[in-house]
Amino acid sequence: MSTTLTTDLLLHRAGTKSYWRGLTYRDSVQSLRVHSRHVAARVRGSDEAAYAVELSWSGTHLVGECSCPHGSEGFFCKHCVAVGLVLLDRGETVPPPDAEDVELRDVLRTLPAEVLRDLLYDQAAGDPKLRARIMSAR
């Protein structure tokens, strides 16, 4: 399986009921931004609440996260479907998981060295593999 966003993939991930409900939510997508490795959006729900939606890839598996009650239980909900359909309507897609994270590189370039050291230390202290990579880079 590839990392290609399609309507069939959205149907497969969401199931028939959520997929068909997602079709009616395309106009509820309030904002949508394609980032380096994920897509972030806000979708207005039937109760007028705005839900945060994120689509990304985990390997070749399309992952959808939504702050709605159904999505919070781990389901690929109608809001995720709506965001995927809007992407397809615009001729866009979810960036592949191995895409360069340009946004992260740009932010890292602007951070002072001391901040970078503290962030790296905090991460490496709890990650033995990262710690080993750092120790062997000396």
Side-chain angles (χ1 to χ4, degrees):
M1 187 171 223
S2 69
T3 54
T4 303
L5 182 64
T6 65
T7 55
D8 286 342
L9 178 59
L10 292 171
L11 175 61
H12 174 75
R13 289 289 295 123
T16 304
K17 183 178 178 182
S18 287
Y19 178 81
W20 288 107
R21 292 185 76 196
L23 284 170
T24 66
Y25 272 78
R26 288 181 291 189
D27 291 338
S28 298
V29 176
Q30 296 177 318
S31 65
L32 188 149
R33 182 160 179 228
V34 178
H35 294 271
S36 297
R37 292 193 180 175
H38 72 283
V39 173
R42 301 226 25 106
V43 180
R44 188 179 59 256
S46 58
D47 59 359
E48 297 301 315
Y51 297 115
V53 176
E54 191 170 294
L55 297 179
S56 61
W57 296 100
S58 177
T60 59
H61 186 72
L62 180 63
V63 177
E65 296 179 13
C66 182
S67 61
C68 77
H70 194 60
S72 295
E73 293 178 11
F75 295 103
F76 196 97
C77 69
K78 62 190 175 191
H79 307 108
C80 293
V81 171
V83 170
L85 291 170
V86 169
L87 279 171
L88 291 170
D89 289 347
R90 293 181 179 180
E92 297 180 285
T93 192
V94 179
D98 58 351
E100 180 180 359
D101 194 337
V102 175
E103 294 164 314
L104 180 59
R105 283 193 184 280
D106 289 346
V107 169
L108 290 173
R109 283 187 185 103
T110 66
L111 294 176
E114 186 64 30
V115 171
L116 287 170
R117 278 192 294 274
D118 289 346
L119 289 169
L120 189 55
Y121 176 83
D122 290 345
Q123 190 64 39
D127 183 338
K129 288 183 182 178
L130 178 57
R131 185 182 189 287
R133 285 180 61 195
I134 291 170
M135 297 306 285
S136 68
R138 297 194 257 172

Short mmCIF file of all heavy atoms in Angstrom, two decimals, residues 29 31-35 38-42 52-55 83:
data_model
loop_
_atom_site.label_atom_id
_atom_site.label_comp_id
_atom_site.label_asym_id
_atom_site.label_seq_id
_atom_site.Cartn_x
_atom_site.Cartn_y
_atom_site.Cartn_z
N VAL A 29 -15.51 22.65 6.87
CA VAL A 29 -14.07 22.80 7.08
C VAL A 29 -13.77 24.29 7.06
O VAL A 29 -13.90 24.96 6.05
CB VAL A 29 -13.24 22.04 6.01
CG1 VAL A 29 -11.76 22.29 6.20
CG2 VAL A 29 -13.55 20.55 6.07
N SER A 31 -10.84 25.91 8.34
CA SER A 31 -9.46 26.25 7.99
C SER A 31 -8.74 24.95 7.70
O SER A 31 -9.09 23.91 8.24
CB SER A 31 -8.77 27.00 9.13
OG SER A 31 -8.64 26.16 10.26
N LEU A 32 -7.78 25.04 6.84
CA LEU A 32 -7.01 23.85 6.47
C LEU A 32 -5.61 24.30 6.07
O LEU A 32 -5.47 25.22 5.25
CB LEU A 32 -7.69 23.12 5.30
CG LEU A 32 -7.12 21.77 4.92
CD1 LEU A 32 -8.23 20.88 4.38
CD2 LEU A 32 -6.04 21.91 3.90
N ARG A 33 -4.61 23.68 6.68
CA ARG A 33 -3.24 24.04 6.35
C ARG A 33 -2.42 22.77 6.17
O ARG A 33 -2.43 21.90 7.04
CB ARG A 33 -2.63 24.90 7.45
CG ARG A 33 -1.22 25.33 7.10
CD ARG A 33 -0.77 26.52 7.89
NE ARG A 33 0.59 26.83 7.49
CZ ARG A 33 1.58 27.05 8.33
NH1 ARG A 33 1.36 27.05 9.62
NH2 ARG A 33 2.78 27.31 7.89
N VAL A 34 -1.72 22.68 5.06
CA VAL A 34 -0.83 21.56 4.80
C VAL A 34 0.55 21.94 5.33
O VAL A 34 1.15 22.91 4.88
CB VAL A 34 -0.75 21.23 3.29
CG1 VAL A 34 0.22 20.09 3.05
CG2 VAL A 34 -2.14 20.88 2.76
N HIS A 35 1.02 21.21 6.33
CA HIS A 35 2.33 21.43 6.92
C HIS A 35 3.33 20.48 6.26
O HIS A 35 2.99 19.74 5.35
CB HIS A 35 2.28 21.17 8.43
CG HIS A 35 1.43 22.16 9.16
ND1 HIS A 35 1.92 23.33 9.66
CD2 HIS A 35 0.11 22.12 9.47
CE1 HIS A 35 0.94 24.01 10.24
NE2 HIS A 35 -0.17 23.30 10.15
N HIS A 38 2.16 16.90 8.01
CA HIS A 38 0.78 16.64 8.39
C HIS A 38 -0.13 17.74 7.86
O HIS A 38 0.34 18.77 7.36
CB HIS A 38 0.64 16.51 9.91
CG HIS A 38 0.79 17.80 10.64
ND1 HIS A 38 2.01 18.40 10.87
CD2 HIS A 38 -0.14 18.63 11.18
CE1 HIS A 38 1.84 19.53 11.52
NE2 HIS A 38 0.54 19.70 11.73
N VAL A 39 -1.42 17.51 8.00
CA VAL A 39 -2.42 18.51 7.64
C VAL A 39 -3.19 18.85 8.91
O VAL A 39 -3.58 17.95 9.67
CB VAL A 39 -3.39 17.95 6.58
CG1 VAL A 39 -4.53 18.92 6.33
CG2 VAL A 39 -2.65 17.64 5.28
N ALA A 40 -3.38 20.13 9.17
CA ALA A 40 -4.15 20.57 10.33
C ALA A 40 -5.35 21.36 9.84
O ALA A 40 -5.25 22.15 8.89
CB ALA A 40 -3.28 21.44 11.24
N ALA A 41 -6.49 21.13 10.49
CA ALA A 41 -7.71 21.82 10.08
C ALA A 41 -8.62 22.03 11.27
O ALA A 41 -8.44 21.42 12.33
CB ALA A 41 -8.44 21.01 9.01
N ARG A 42 -9.59 22.92 11.10
CA ARG A 42 -10.67 23.12 12.07
C ARG A 42 -11.96 22.85 11.31
O ARG A 42 -12.14 23.35 10.20
CB ARG A 42 -10.67 24.53 12.63
CG ARG A 42 -9.34 24.81 13.30
CD ARG A 42 -9.27 25.45 14.62
NE ARG A 42 -10.27 25.44 15.61
CZ ARG A 42 -10.20 24.71 16.73
NH1 ARG A 42 -9.21 23.87 16.91
NH2 ARG A 42 -11.12 24.82 17.65
N ALA A 52 -10.60 20.31 16.22
CA ALA A 52 -9.26 20.29 15.64
C ALA A 52 -9.04 18.92 15.00
O ALA A 52 -9.26 17.89 15.64
CB ALA A 52 -8.22 20.54 16.72
N VAL A 53 -8.64 18.93 13.75
CA VAL A 53 -8.41 17.70 12.99
C VAL A 53 -6.98 17.69 12.48
O VAL A 53 -6.47 18.73 12.04
CB VAL A 53 -9.39 17.59 11.80
CG1 VAL A 53 -9.09 16.36 10.95
CG2 VAL A 53 -10.83 17.57 12.28
N GLU A 54 -6.34 16.54 12.55
CA GLU A 54 -5.00 16.38 11.99
C GLU A 54 -4.94 15.08 11.21
O GLU A 54 -5.39 14.03 11.69
CB GLU A 54 -3.97 16.36 13.11
CG GLU A 54 -2.54 16.46 12.61
CD GLU A 54 -1.55 16.69 13.72
OE1 GLU A 54 -1.61 17.77 14.35
OE2 GLU A 54 -0.73 15.79 13.96
N LEU A 55 -4.42 15.13 9.99
CA LEU A 55 -4.21 13.95 9.17
C LEU A 55 -2.71 13.81 8.91
O LEU A 55 -2.02 14.80 8.63
CB LEU A 55 -4.93 14.06 7.82
CG LEU A 55 -6.46 14.16 7.84
CD1 LEU A 55 -7.00 14.29 6.41
CD2 LEU A 55 -7.08 12.98 8.55
N VAL A 83 -12.07 16.64 5.93
CA VAL A 83 -10.77 17.28 5.64
C VAL A 83 -10.09 16.57 4.47
O VAL A 83 -9.58 17.22 3.56
CB VAL A 83 -9.87 17.30 6.90
CG1 VAL A 83 -8.45 17.72 6.55
CG2 VAL A 83 -10.47 18.21 7.96
#
